[in-house]
Amino acid sequence: MYTVRSKWIGFGEKRPGCPMSTAIALILLVVGFSEAGEVRAAGMNDVEAVPPANVLSEAAYLVSDVARQCEPGTKSGRAGGSDDEKTASGIRYMVKTPVNYHASIAHPLLMVYAPARTNRYASEDFVHLTQEATAAGFIVAYADHRTMSSKSIEELAAIPGLIEQKWCVDHTRIVLTGHSDGGTTAMAIAFLDGTKHIPAAIAPSAMGIRGEDLKAYQCPDSLPVMLMHSSQDRLFPGYGKEAIQWWVSCNGCEATPPVKDADGCVTYRGCKNNVTTRYCEGTGSHTTWPGNNKAIIEFFRGSQDLR
């Protein structure tokens, strides 16, 4: 069980001088968007309309996908979009499937957690992952934001299991992403004792978790990780570089310089169980989604069969 010290909640305020608690304290730093009043996708300016990248795609199923099946008639979730699902605690979320979704084929699930003050619809518009994710055979889900607390993390972490009850999901291929508060949520789920069994891979963006915070936690089993953070993030400056070093250590990667990839990211070598460990550093503000969706989807596709 973990708790939150509410007095640590704040935007970049200094920590108390007392010893580090094993509480989540403010890893869950209430990652609000204080730099600007809105979130925006990379490459957009104030006069551009949000492109309609939320269209559902038809998935090209692989033989390996078809081999993973659910019993016919056991899943009531329909193909297409289900926009008003709700948890017992009232968190609303929506589920999008490939156009040709088949209820007997077990799909990987991409769970997207929202930035502060952002609902599921705005989150989808912000990250634009639906079209590419469904084309790659994923079910993709978006949850409304909840203020960061130990309870809200647990409640948000439970959503993939609720989706699995209604849609045909391969529970070994649940992957998580999100931005700011959403990135913090995705990453916290991956190492907290009560939830770290859930994700098969994570790709958090602009998360508010420092390397100092992470030292209080035991490493989870080796896990594919793709961290995205901007060098111009003024709300959480340098947090991405600090966090990736913790994951490099947890994943047992070689203590050698990482390899620079064609997309500008770096990949660490020699990690346990060959898990991919990547760090992608952008140049946008804290409120900018990194925009490298193709790389994110390819990372998740390459990571989904490791467990």
Side-chain angles (χ1 to χ4, degrees):
M1 185 64 184
Y2 43 91
T3 60
V4 175
R5 287 185 175 184
S6 60
K7 67 179 180 179
W8 287 15
I9 296 176
F11 302 115
E13 65 180 294
K14 291 186 177 180
R15 312 242 171 150
C18 60
M20 181 69 185
S21 168
T22 56
I24 196 167
L26 255 279
I27 288 183
L28 309 177
L29 285 164
V30 177
V31 188
F33 287 113
S34 63
E35 289 186 0
E38 62 180 318
V39 295
R40 64 176 62 191
M44 294 184 64
N45 61 43
D46 291 337
V47 298
E48 291 177 323
V50 176
N54 303 335
V55 177
L56 302 179
S57 297
E58 183 172 305
Y61 290 110
L62 304 174
V63 173
S64 58
D65 295 325
V66 177
R68 301 182 179 94
Q69 297 191 346
C70 297
E71 288 294 324
T74 60
K75 304 296 180 181
S76 61
R78 61 183 178 84
S82 298
D83 296 338
D84 201 29
E85 301 293 314
K86 188 169 66 172
T87 70
S89 62
I91 301 176
R92 295 187 182 276
Y93 61 96
M94 63 182 179
V95 179
K96 303 293 185 76
T97 76
V99 172
N100 56 335
Y101 167 78
H102 197 292
S104 66
I105 297 175
H107 296 68
L109 171 64
L110 170 54
M111 187 73 223
V112 182
Y113 293 110
R117 301 189 296 276
T118 305
N119 66 22
R120 58 201 182 280
Y121 303 108
S123 179
E124 182 183 33
D125 288 340
F126 177 54
V127 301
H128 303 313
L129 281 166
T130 299
Q131 189 172 36
E132 289 184 81
T134 53
F138 286 81
I139 294 172
V140 58
Y142 300 87
D144 285 358
H145 173 261
R146 280 291 182 273
T147 301
M148 294 284 90
S149 69
S150 57
K151 184 177 180 181
S152 67
I153 290 291
E154 291 175 341
E155 292 170 347
L156 289 164
I159 293 175
L162 298 177
I163 295 170
E164 187 180 350
Q165 292 175 16
K166 292 182 65 175
W167 283 270
C168 190
V169 171
D170 184 341
H171 71 273
T172 69
R173 297 190 293 163
I174 295 170
V175 297
L176 313 178
T177 190
H179 186 81
S180 197
D181 266 18
T184 300
T185 299
M187 188 157 151
I189 290 170
F191 64 76
L192 292 174
D193 284 338
T195 58
K196 63 186 179 183
H197 63 282
I198 295 171
I202 60 168
S205 171
M207 63 284 167
I209 305 179
R210 300 184 61 183
E212 179 184 347
D213 300 317
L214 292 166
K215 290 177 183 178
Y217 295 89
Q218 291 187 341
C219 291
D221 293 339
S222 52
L223 181 76
V225 172
M226 178 177 175
L227 296 192
M228 299 170 285
H229 212 89
S230 174
S231 62
Q232 303 303 309
D233 191 322
R234 296 179 183 177
L235 188 59
F236 301 124
Y239 284 26
K241 285 184 176 179
E242 294 178 12
I244 194 61
Q245 292 306 314
W246 187 79
W247 283 106
V248 166
S249 176
C250 286
N251 283 344
C253 306
E254 294 177 359
T256 56
V259 176
K260 188 169 184 178
D261 302 320
D263 59 4
C265 301
V266 295
T267 299
Y268 293 84
R269 295 175 289 190
C271 305
K272 289 185 296 187
N273 298 323
N274 293 318
V275 297
T276 300
T277 308
R278 303 190 79 202
Y279 178 64
C280 303
E281 187 167 85
T283 57
S285 71
H286 178 75
T287 58
T288 302
W289 175 249
N292 48 349
N293 288 359
K294 182 177 180 181
I296 294 170
I297 297 300
E298 287 303 311
F299 163 72
F300 282 143
R301 291 185 71 177
S303 302
Q304 63 190 10
D305 292 322
L306 290 177
R307 298 194 308 178

